[in-house]
Amino acid sequence: MHSPRLKAASQVCLHSCCPTPLYNMTEPRKTVSKSGSTSSVCRRDFAQSTAASIFPNTRFTNHESLPSLRVSLVEFNRAYPQFSETHQVDDIRAQEYYHLSQSNHACLDYIGIGLFSFEQLQKQKEQQASTSSCSSPALFPSPSRSLNFPFFGISYKTGNLKVQLLHGGQESELESAMKRRIMGFLNISESDYSMVFTANRTSAFKLVADSYPFKTSRKLLTVYDYQSEAVESMVHSSEKRGAHSMSAEFSWPRLRINSSKLRNMVVSKKKKKKKRGLFVFPLHSRVTGSRYPYLWMKIAQENGWHVLIDACALGPKDMDCFGLSLLRPDFLICSFYKVFGENPSGFGCLFVKKSVISILEDSISTGIVNIVPAKELLQVAEDSSGTDLELEQKAKFSLEEAGLSSSSSFSGPLSNQTRQYPKLEQGESSEFQNVEITARLEGPESSEKGKSEVHIEHAKRSRNEDLEFECRGLDHVDSLGLIMTTNRSRYLINWLVSSLMKLEHPNAEGVRLVKIYGPKIKFDRGPALAFNIFDWKGEKVEPVLVQKLADRSSISLSYGFLHHIYFSDKYAEEKGRVLEKTERASNRMAANNLKGKCDQGITVITAALGFLANFEDTYRLWAFVAQFLDADFVEKERWRYTALNQKTVEV
């Protein structure tokens, strides 16, 4: 039986000409229905209309010739008149996330789902300031100290995933309430799936790799067009346990799944169905924005594979049209952060179908966490004399009082070291620093992009009563709905793609400034973009340099590494020019003792549009990239940076 939310989403999608949950589930060579034909026409018309409406017959060869923000917005609204129907998002941004406008910062490096709003964070500050002014300083710390632990922290514990899923553990009221809220938000039934909190996305992947029965189901097949720390960690752990790992390939130049090769790996050559292994499938690429047909999940299940769905890159309401009740994956992973544009720390969630738990093997590993209320963290911090030893003892005692594991550590803010790494996976770079069982409180919030806001507080009642809390970030997304958030991101990302392709070097016979990887103007592309910038000589500007220059312009970007790229004979000559070795890209993996592979690929700049992104964010990125049309732009910035540093006195 279909869930009411899925049915409603499907009907609305059809009327709004957006992808339906099962549109890609139809078998090949079957007659296309009238609604499917209409949907295809709609997609084609959208791409043609966008190409014809965004700066038609125009190329920009000088960044000073770009139209102003106001003029561009008028043209944007003319191309996408339905964009005005998403004004609710702008209202929420102005009322609840006003720090984005105050700081004039474009956050294009967030992946995941935000729990809380910035306005909640401000309210918490005010409440803490008011409380501390009339209470004992030992029990109510100063606002500056308490802000080190916004709303909640996570406590690591060593445990057995299978036992945890079967029997659970002692949960605080906060954990129980948070679990119910998240499962309700994702439309996941507690009767069908069990859930554990994990430190982040990588921890969730590794937990599955450490527990999956690779002795009997030996294969691991992943479908990722980019290098992922989480996937590399899973592959490394699985191969140590005897798994045979394989990966899908992506055909140049559009980077679509090489269907014939993937089908050969998925489909069993023997008629007798047998246990194949674990099929790890992201619903779309968090780097290129490519969306993948759900048909692959169905084919994998029919051929004896267990299916793990990576939902970390989904839009905030995409689960409403995923069709979970029909596809029923064996594992599902997603991630949440605290506050968009203020605090990227958070946690991951691993869902396991209850009928599959019995096949898992007993394995003791780290990665499972408890959600610890901020109240406990603050009291532990203030009751200590400041030494690590005393703080550790008090932390353990406090956790024991709360019924949590005493052999745990608190996860703190992301380290400043994460600035030198790609920020594709929120919280990923901190995992290998924090996964040690240290039980020490970490220091102040770093400058990592992203802010957190949560309104979670203990009701002043007995321990057995319900915890009062509000995840306003999730509430906002629920109020907006699937269609509004999807349409808004569709208009913005396609305008950005179209505008970037209009930038060309002067006197270079149509040499484009920007190369886009993956889908370009497309109705159902995801809100992520992978691109590179090339100078007038055709040489690539290093993505790390572009990221640093963007940061100086208050634009947060990431960079990633595309790999598993297949070149047919038609494009064989391009292979040597396009691919680069992964030596630089694999440095981060080697530093974390992950298995390095002699892979080849492409380092790219990435931008991701969250549901709060507005037209000004996309325009600012376009205008920033256009500055590279000036052949001396990089050199000017280098001299400017040097001059500023010479005036800076370092202590």
Side-chain angles (χ1 to χ4, degrees):
M1 182 175 178
H2 299 246
S3 70
R5 293 175 67 182
L6 175 59
K7 183 177 180 181
S10 303
Q11 293 173 343
V12 176
C13 282
L14 284 172
H15 292 119
S16 299
C17 193
C18 75
T20 62
L22 304 179
Y23 179 76
N24 289 319
M25 289 290 293
T26 54
E27 292 290 347
R29 301 180 184 176
K30 286 190 177 180
T31 303
V32 179
S33 65
K34 184 177 180 180
S35 62
S37 176
T38 303
S39 183
S40 298
V41 172
C42 182
R43 287 166 167 77
R44 184 176 65 251
D45 290 347
F46 175 86
Q48 293 175 349
S49 175
T50 295
S53 302
I54 307 300
F55 308 122
N57 304 315
T58 304
R59 70 187 185 109
F60 299 99
T61 59
N62 188 323
H63 69 280
E64 295 180 349
S65 67
L66 264 58
S68 66
L69 171 62
R70 184 183 62 81
V71 171
S72 298
L73 179 57
V74 170
E75 293 299 317
F76 173 81
N77 285 323
R78 187 174 300 165
Y80 303 115
Q82 297 89 351
F83 184 79
S84 61
E85 299 173 5
T86 70
H87 65 87
Q88 258 184 283
V89 179
D90 297 306
D91 295 340
I92 290 174
R93 176 173 169 138
Q95 297 168 9
E96 299 281 342
Y97 301 89
Y98 45 84
H99 64 296
L100 299 173
S101 299
Q102 291 176 347
S103 63
N104 195 33
H105 196 97
C107 297
L108 305 178
D109 60 342
Y110 269 70
I111 295 291
I113 302 172
L115 292 168
F116 312 104
S117 75
F118 181 77
E119 173 64 14
Q120 281 182 287
L121 181 60
Q122 298 306 106
K123 289 285 181 64
Q124 187 201 42
K125 292 180 182 179
E126 295 171 4
Q127 291 171 358
Q128 290 174 346
S130 174
T131 304
S132 62
S133 64
C134 60
S135 305
S136 167
L139 294 177
F140 298 93
S142 65
S144 61
R145 180 71 178 270
S146 64
L147 292 181
N148 292 341
F149 317 106
F151 307 110
F152 69 84
I154 62 174
S155 164
Y156 286 88
K157 61 181 180 182
T158 302
N160 186 316
L161 175 62
K162 184 175 183 178
V163 172
Q164 182 73 22
L165 292 169
L166 285 174
H167 307 293
Q170 284 187 306
E171 288 185 345
S172 66
E173 294 174 359
L174 170 60
E175 283 184 298
S176 298
M178 184 71 78
K179 185 175 292 187
R180 288 193 301 271
R181 182 67 181 93
I182 287 175
M183 296 189 80
F185 177 79
L186 296 175
N187 199 24
I188 296 177
S189 170
E190 292 187 52
S191 62
D192 296 327
Y193 287 85
S194 293
M195 168 191 164
V196 295
F197 291 107
T198 67
N200 48 39
R201 179 172 177 253
T202 295
S203 297
F205 273 74
K206 192 173 186 303
L207 281 167
V208 175
D210 290 343
S211 303
Y212 187 79
F214 285 112
K215 291 181 181 179
T216 55
S217 304
R218 299 186 63 85
K219 294 183 179 180
L220 172 66
L221 176 54
T222 59
V223 187
Y224 288 83
D225 62 3
Y226 65 95
Q227 191 176 68
S228 164
E229 185 173 297
V231 177
E232 292 294 325
S233 176
M234 168 176 266
V235 170
H236 179 63
S237 297
S238 301
E239 290 181 343
K240 285 175 62 178
R241 301 183 59 239
H244 171 56
S245 63
M246 305 177 292
S247 175
E249 292 186 347
F250 302 85
S251 300
W252 182 264
R254 296 186 177 182
L255 297 185
R256 293 177 176 175
I257 292 177
N258 188 318
S259 299
S260 60
K261 288 196 171 186
L262 182 56
R263 181 177 287 274
N264 288 336
M265 289 187 282
V266 172
V267 177
S268 174
K269 296 180 181 179
K270 299 180 181 180
K271 292 183 179 180
K272 185 178 180 181
K273 186 176 179 180
K274 66 175 184 178
K275 299 176 182 177
R276 302 279 289 169
L278 184 62
F279 181 68
V280 183
F281 187 76
L283 298 179
H284 75 252
S285 171
R286 64 194 300 169
V287 173
T288 63
S290 298
R291 292 189 185 273
Y292 304 130
Y294 293 178
L295 176 63
W296 289 113
M297 289 180 281
K298 183 180 179 182
I299 294 174
Q301 289 172 332
E302 290 175 347
N303 284 272
W305 294 83
H306 288 107
V307 174
L308 184 156
I309 296 302
D310 179 0
C312 293
L314 284 182
K317 289 301 291 179
D318 284 359
M319 283 295 291
D320 278 6
C321 67
F322 170 56
L324 186 69
S325 60
L326 298 178
L327 298 169
R328 294 180 60 79
D330 302 286
F331 307 91
L332 187 141
I333 293 173
C334 63
S335 59
F336 293 84
Y337 57 82
K338 289 181 179 177
V339 181
F340 181 79
E342 183 64 24
N343 191 325
S345 63
F347 50 76
C349 295
L350 169 60
F351 299 90
V352 182
K353 191 162 62 175
K354 290 187 175 180
S355 60
V356 175
I357 297 175
S358 60
I359 72 163
L360 299 180
E361 296 179 354
D362 291 316
S363 175
I364 304 298
S365 58
T366 57
I368 302 175
V369 299
N370 287 117
I371 307 299
V372 183
K375 180 178 179 181
E376 274 81 355
L377 298 179
L378 301 180
Q379 290 178 348
V380 171
E382 280 301 315
D383 286 344
S384 73
S385 64
T387 66
D388 287 345
L389 180 60
E390 292 176 352
L391 183 56
E392 178 180 355
Q393 296 300 322
K394 291 180 180 290
K396 289 182 178 181
F397 177 77
S398 177
L399 291 175
E400 288 168 355
E401 287 283 290
L404 302 177
S405 170
S406 62
S407 59
S408 59
S409 67
F410 297 98
S411 78
L414 293 179
S415 165
N416 284 323
Q417 294 176 352
T418 60
R419 297 290 296 166
Q420 60 187 308
Y421 298 133
K423 292 178 287 183
L424 298 176
E425 304 176 23
Q426 294 297 340
E428 293 294 302
S429 57
S430 67
E431 180 196 356
F432 292 95
Q433 299 161 13
N434 292 335
V435 76
E436 299 174 2
I437 309 304
T438 59
R440 65 178 285 236
L441 299 174
E442 299 200 5
E445 190 73 28
S446 71
S447 61
E448 183 69 23
K449 305 303 179 189
K451 290 185 178 175
S452 143
E453 169 186 7
V454 182
H455 183 57
I456 297 179
E457 59 180 4
H458 276 291
K460 296 181 180 179
R461 306 172 182 173
S462 68
R463 189 174 290 272
N464 293 327
E465 291 181 335
D466 291 337
L467 180 72
E468 294 179 358
F469 79 103
E470 179 184 15
C471 292
R472 203 178 294 176
L474 303 184
D475 294 341
H476 292 149
V477 174
D478 279 335
S479 69
L480 296 171
L482 170 69
I483 301 305
M484 184 182 299
T485 55
T486 302
N487 284 345
R488 184 180 177 92
S489 64
R490 175 180 298 123
Y491 303 144
L492 291 173
I493 193 66
N494 280 285
W495 180 90
L496 179 60
V497 169
S498 180
S499 299
L500 287 173
M501 292 193 299
K502 300 289 184 178
L503 304 176
E504 296 183 4
H505 286 289
N507 305 319
E509 299 183 355
V511 176
R512 287 181 175 175
L513 175 71
V514 175
K515 167 69 178 176
I516 294 173
Y517 303 90
K520 296 180 176 59
I521 300 172
K522 193 172 182 181
F523 180 85
D524 55 356
R525 64 162 295 138
L529 177 65
F531 66 98
N532 271 320
I533 297 174
F534 293 84
D535 63 20
W536 64 276
K537 297 178 182 178
E539 297 180 359
K540 186 171 77 173
V541 181
E542 285 298 320
V544 178
L545 176 60
V546 175
Q547 184 194 37
K548 290 179 179 179
L549 293 175
D551 196 55
R552 294 184 203 169
S553 298
S554 296
I555 301 173
S556 296
L557 299 174
S558 299
Y559 61 92
F561 191 82
L562 300 177
H563 65 168
H564 301 313
I565 303 173
Y566 169 77
F567 289 81
S568 65
D569 293 339
K570 180 180 178 180
Y571 300 101
E573 293 183 1
E574 295 185 36
K575 185 174 182 179
R577 298 194 305 268
V578 170
L579 297 183
E580 57 195 64
K581 293 184 179 180
T582 64
E583 293 178 0
R584 288 167 298 178
S586 62
N587 284 342
R588 178 163 58 97
M589 299 304 186
N592 290 322
N593 296 320
L594 296 178
K595 184 175 181 179
K597 293 187 177 181
C598 297
D599 198 4
Q600 289 186 317
I602 308 169
T603 306
V604 296
I605 309 153
T606 69
L609 303 183
F611 86 96
L612 288 168
N614 61 12
F615 179 75
E616 184 176 354
D617 292 335
T618 58
Y619 177 86
R620 288 182 59 196
L621 176 57
W622 182 51
F624 163 74
V625 172
Q627 293 183 85
F628 287 87
L629 289 169
D630 180 356
D632 298 323
F633 171 64
V634 175
E635 193 63 26
K636 289 176 182 176
E637 285 296 304
R638 184 177 287 113
W639 279 105
R640 175 173 166 270
Y641 182 71
T642 302
L644 289 174
N645 277 355
Q646 287 176 348
K647 297 178 182 179
T648 302
V649 179
E650 296 185 2
V651 180

